[in-house]
Amino acid sequence: MGVDTRHLVLVGLMGSGKTTVARRVADRTGRRVVDLDAQVEATVGCSIPDLFATRGEEAFRDCETEALQATLVAEDRTVIATGGGVVVRTVNRELLRRSSHATVIWLDATPEALLARLGRGSAGRPLLHDDPAGVLRRLHGERAAWYAEVADHRIDTVGCSLDEVTDAVVAMLEAAGSSVTTTAEADVSQEDRS
Ligand code: S3P
């Protein structure tokens, strides 16, 4: 089985399951996992809601672009959970489209399914403070074409458990003839490159 040195990047709206699925895929494939929102929080030293409140969304977007660039350049065979708005900036979409960098999977769902999944989870998401149902509908309309633009694969997650979504992501990697290795195999491939 060939070794895929590309990152696996999960994109999709808030509530699509990116963070949880990324962790589970990383566990199963022996890859490292990076959550871009967590990277931003670690870099700025405050939560994303605080960053939005004190410095505004554009400052958050600047940090998000920096985190994406740094992760794509520095890490190998990483599973990257992005924030839902990573596709908003053209520069980010260009980074993601370069297939030498990443295999991108779009976890899609209807706004209604996302809202049901988020439940009280919308509290930590500054964009969902007011009218989360309306915002999710608007963002789905605005961003669907951008997710499609960057994604190599799309998974319709409506009605799926996170385990089923994880299985689908791993199956896509296997079908790509690539990167589902045990942790031991992943270690060997690291040595091969050194
Ligand atoms: C955002 C999604 C959030 C976070 C920020 C902005 C967006 O990430 O990056 O609140 O613009 O959709 P999740 O998709 O992980 O919730």
Side-chain angles (χ1 to χ4, degrees):
M1 183 177 283
V3 175
D4 186 353
T5 56
R6 295 185 301 178
H7 306 289
L8 170 66
V9 183
L10 300 182
V11 299
L13 281 176
M14 294 173 273
S16 57
K18 301 177 297 282
T19 300
T20 304
V21 171
R23 282 199 200 112
R24 292 182 188 181
V25 171
D27 279 351
R28 286 192 29 197
T29 59
R31 292 174 177 232
R32 277 169 43 83
V33 63
V34 171
D35 184 287
L36 288 191
D37 284 347
Q39 290 280 99
V40 168
E41 291 183 330
T43 303
V44 297
C46 71
S47 70
I48 286 171
D50 285 347
L51 180 57
F52 268 70
T54 56
R55 293 171 52 197
E57 180 172 347
E58 282 311 297
F60 165 75
R61 296 291 170 209
D62 290 341
C63 297
E64 184 177 51
T65 296
E66 279 169 28
L68 178 67
Q69 278 170 334
T71 306
L72 288 175
V73 169
E75 304 291 344
D76 214 15
R77 294 168 54 81
T78 302
V79 183
I80 303 170
T82 60
V86 78
V87 292
V88 167
R89 286 195 169 176
T90 307
V91 61
N92 295 355
R93 297 200 302 279
E94 284 171 353
L95 282 169
L96 291 170
R97 273 207 318 263
R98 285 186 211 153
S99 57
S100 58
H101 280 161
T103 298
V104 182
I105 298 183
W106 172 19
L107 305 186
D108 194 15
T110 59
E112 294 72 25
L114 295 167
L115 190 66
R117 261 189 227 148
L118 279 164
R120 288 189 301 166
S122 58
R125 290 168 163 105
L127 295 180
L128 297 182
H129 277 172
D130 300 318
D131 185 20
V135 171
L136 284 169
R137 268 197 302 276
R138 177 174 61 76
L139 293 181
H140 193 274
E142 286 174 4
R143 294 177 179 174
W146 289 330
Y147 293 131
E149 178 187 325
V150 300
D152 299 293
H153 307 281
R154 169 182 169 274
I155 297 174
D156 181 355
T157 67
V158 174
C160 296
S161 69
L162 292 176
D163 276 338
E164 288 168 333
V165 177
T166 304
D167 288 346
V169 171
V170 171
M172 278 175 180
L173 289 176
E174 281 174 332
S178 59
S179 54
V180 179
T181 58
T182 64
T183 304
E185 286 170 324
D187 288 346
V188 169
S189 68
Q190 293 288 344
E191 285 166 19
D192 284 346
R193 274 193 301 279
S194 61

